[in-house]
Amino acid sequence: MYQNFMLDKELIKIVPSERQIRHQQMEFYAFVHFTVNTFTDKEWGDGTESPSVFTPTELCCDQWVNACKSAGMTGLILTAKHHDGFCLWPSAYTEHSVKNSPYKNGKGDIVKEAADACRRGGIKFGVYLSPWDRNCPLYGQGKAYDDYYCNQLTELLTNYGDIFCVWFDGACGEGPNGKKQVYDWERYYSVVRSLQPDACISVSGPDVRWCGNEAGNTRDCEWSPVARVLKDNRKVEDTAPDLGSREIMSEAKECFWQAAEVDTSIRPGWFFHKRENIRVRSLKTLTDIYFRSVGGNCTLLLNIPPDTRGLFHEEDVKRLNSLGQSIKKMFSVCLSQDAEFSSDTDDGIHTADSLKEDSYDTYFATEEGVNTAVITITLPEKRKLHMAVIKENIRNSQRIEAFTVECHHGKGWKPLYSGTTVGYKKIARFRPTLTDTVRITITDSRIAPNISHIALY
Ligand code: FUL
């Protein structure tokens, strides 16, 4: 029996900011990698590319946005500058940008086109600005480059409306004169906080953590309260197998709320390569990634690279469409809307019937000291079910350590699913089962479980 109540009490004090909650509620959004690499057929430019190679012929950001929306995405993050240093906007601080390219005779601004298209389409806009810059002669010179980088950040965060996310890539290689830069992260963060206080600073930043791989893999236990530095001063890397269990948290010196973001591409590369038109990931693979990430307490950042026309390729558009259709279909009818929710225990205020509504204002809770609960969902008739969606009230931290889903079958209970962490959202998928009673048992929790929503599909 687990005994460390003091630790659990401490752990549930780690809660998300409103900014982090808003970000996680976005669930699924797009990455768009576009630069000179699109035209040189590379993944990393070396900074010597001439802006004259940048020649999109049919660029249409509305096409990107419509395709993203068809997949159910809620935002788009554009690579305003990748490692090659080429800027998709006419930055006043460099000549290495669209302003010296043939695109719109140097009068184009793709950050503006993308930001405007997102606003027109009703999705949020974010920026990726690579700190690693293989073109800028100031790179590797300390403050001089930080000034340059902060000036560019300021342009992006001032001239393009609301930004939901600034995605900082930690990559740090050599610049044009062979030197590496020591990034002044704290200074970069303060620029973001002062100009776009609602924006999340992702990955190399405090608000959202990298899930640790670019393949779309996830952990079975994904915790948002995570240990970043241990008592012996060892850092806990983003790639560590465990960042949040009680064991690792008991060793933690520094811990924060940081939900994981799964970043992966719809194709093998981050940039467009014609040869990969036949390697667009299958609907099955993408659906699986969606369920493991969005349905596994992570957000999903899926990259779609525009081609040399400046459009998403037809294959990618088709795939985004079918992904969106298939997700929509699976969640179109909630089968527990008219069900009765009851529990073996509650705290007298937060009762099981509040589980129907998907809101943090009403939630189910047990009394302090009661770390298990049995929630029974009784349907008016037998229905074929294959998913249970469970959401914790993350305003009160992430608490659930283990749960099971069962259905009533003849005289007994038949196991459908057994899981560990829940967090923002857990989608428990099981084989289609005809039943009129489902039982969700929280078998272990850090202090009283606080559940905001349960739905059956
Ligand atoms: C990495 C970069 O090196 C890749 O090119 C890509 O931008 C990926 C999202 O991050 O660090």
Side-chain angles (χ1 to χ4, degrees):
M1 180 63 190
Y2 181 75
Q3 296 275 323
N4 198 344
F5 301 118
M6 285 318 289
L7 173 68
D8 277 351
K9 271 200 157 149
E10 285 306 306
L11 292 183
I12 65 154
K13 289 185 188 155
I14 307 172
V15 293
S17 63
E18 284 304 309
R19 185 198 288 130
Q20 288 173 312
I21 293 179
R22 272 197 306 276
H23 189 89
Q24 189 142 20
Q25 287 172 330
M26 290 183 64
E27 299 193 352
F28 181 28
Y29 40 89
F31 222 171
V32 174
H33 274 66
F34 192 44
T35 182
V36 286
N37 298 349
T38 312
F39 302 88
T40 55
D41 205 12
K42 286 190 187 153
E43 275 294 301
W44 281 1
D46 62 11
T48 63
E49 297 79 11
S50 163
S52 66
V53 304
F54 189 78
T55 52
T57 47
E58 294 170 49
L59 185 119
C60 176
C61 299
D62 290 311
Q63 187 248 12
W64 307 353
V65 169
N66 289 336
C68 292
K69 284 171 68 180
S70 80
M73 293 170 162
T74 56
L76 182 156
I77 301 173
L78 175 67
T79 55
K81 173 181 91 168
H82 202 250
H83 309 330
D84 52 76
F86 180 80
C87 300
L88 293 183
W89 81 105
S91 171
Y93 301 96
T94 180
E95 293 305 304
H96 198 53
S97 82
V98 278
K99 74 181 172 206
N100 287 312
S101 81
Y103 180 63
K104 294 195 169 167
N105 292 320
K107 299 276 178 285
D109 181 344
I110 295 169
V111 174
K112 181 167 189 329
E113 288 191 53
D116 289 349
C118 286
R119 252 174 290 284
R120 269 195 298 279
I123 65 172
K124 294 187 184 177
F125 179 64
V127 289
Y128 167 112
L129 182 72
S130 171
W132 185 21
D133 188 322
R134 305 176 86 183
N135 175 271
C136 178
L138 300 171
Y139 187 87
Q141 292 185 29
K143 183 174 175 302
Y145 177 75
D146 290 328
D147 289 346
Y148 173 80
Y149 188 75
C150 289
N151 283 333
Q152 293 200 322
L153 254 185
T154 302
E155 290 181 311
L156 292 174
L157 304 184
T158 315
N159 300 330
Y160 301 97
D162 288 344
I163 301 290
F164 83 93
C165 166
V166 180
W167 210 95
F168 284 136
D169 192 324
C172 180
E174 292 175 353
N177 41 36
K179 289 193 196 148
K180 279 192 185 177
Q181 174 78 17
V182 179
Y183 304 138
D184 189 348
W185 291 115
E186 291 304 324
R187 187 173 161 199
Y188 308 165
Y189 301 161
S190 70
V191 174
V192 181
R193 291 291 193 244
S194 70
L195 297 175
Q196 296 277 348
D198 291 338
C200 266
I201 307 176
S202 294
V203 175
S204 290
D207 299 322
V208 175
R209 77 184 152 86
W210 183 43
C211 72
N213 69 88
E214 295 180 343
N217 299 332
T218 48
R219 297 173 183 82
D220 288 338
C221 299
E222 207 55 85
W223 287 100
S224 298
V226 286
R228 302 311 332 231
V229 181
L230 301 182
K231 284 175 186 153
D232 60 8
N233 288 325
R234 264 181 306 143
K235 263 190 78 184
V236 183
E237 301 296 339
D238 288 333
T239 49
D242 171 19
L243 289 93
S245 70
R246 281 161 165 154
E247 289 70 29
I248 193 123
M249 294 304 264
S250 69
E251 294 299 314
K253 182 159 110 184
E254 282 175 33
C255 34
F256 318 101
W257 183 278
Q258 265 187 338
E261 178 186 75
V262 172
D263 66 322
T264 193
S265 187
I266 197 164
R267 293 159 172 252
W270 291 100
F271 287 93
F272 178 81
H273 309 288
K274 195 166 174 225
R275 62 180 177 279
E276 293 180 356
N277 287 349
I278 49 161
R279 298 188 61 198
V280 176
R281 287 166 121 174
S282 70
L283 177 61
K284 187 179 172 311
T285 304
L286 292 173
T287 310
D288 187 50
I289 293 173
Y290 176 87
F291 276 106
R292 281 188 291 99
S293 55
V294 175
N297 192 34
C298 304
T299 52
L300 174 56
L301 173 59
L302 180 67
N303 178 67
I304 313 99
D307 60 17
T308 53
R309 295 170 300 176
L311 296 174
F312 285 0
H313 188 269
E314 288 71 5
E315 285 301 317
D316 307 55
V317 171
K318 240 182 9 202
R319 202 54 46 82
L320 291 174
N321 253 291
S322 32
L323 177 62
Q325 290 294 325
S326 121
I327 296 169
K328 216 169 159 182
K329 198 168 154 216
M330 283 188 267
F331 292 99
S332 60
V333 187
C334 172
L335 295 171
S336 52
Q337 207 51 58
D338 54 356
E340 216 175 90
F341 285 67
S342 60
S343 62
D344 65 335
T345 172
D346 62 50
D347 67 357
I349 305 165
H350 305 97
T351 54
D353 48 296
S354 57
L355 286 165
K356 263 193 217 179
E357 203 182 323
D358 184 4
S359 151
Y360 295 139
D361 297 333
T362 56
Y363 60 93
F364 164 81
T366 61
E367 264 177 298
E368 207 183 309
V370 180
N371 297 354
T372 59
V374 181
I375 296 152
T376 307
I377 306 153
T378 314
L379 304 171
E381 82 253 325
K382 281 197 173 152
R383 290 175 182 165
K384 200 172 194 180
L385 307 172
H386 70 126
M387 289 190 289
V389 173
I390 311 172
K391 297 175 86 172
E392 285 189 68
N393 179 5
I394 55 169
R395 283 211 170 135
N396 297 340
S397 193
Q398 182 180 349
R399 302 177 173 211
I400 297 173
E401 291 266 352
F403 71 96
T404 59
V405 183
E406 299 159 293
C407 71
H408 197 65
H409 176 70
K411 283 185 201 132
W413 291 95
K414 186 168 107 184
L416 296 176
Y417 189 94
S418 106
T420 55
T421 48
V422 173
Y424 166 73
K425 186 195 259 192
K426 176 75 197 182
I427 308 175
R429 288 191 291 171
F430 42 84
R431 61 183 178 282
T433 304
L434 191 70
T435 184
D436 57 8
T437 316
V438 170
R439 175 165 94 170
I440 294 177
T441 307
I442 309 304
T443 49
D444 188 15
S445 179
R446 299 174 176 178
I447 317 287
N450 280 195
I451 308 173
S452 64
H453 185 52
I454 293 181
L456 303 174
Y457 294 91

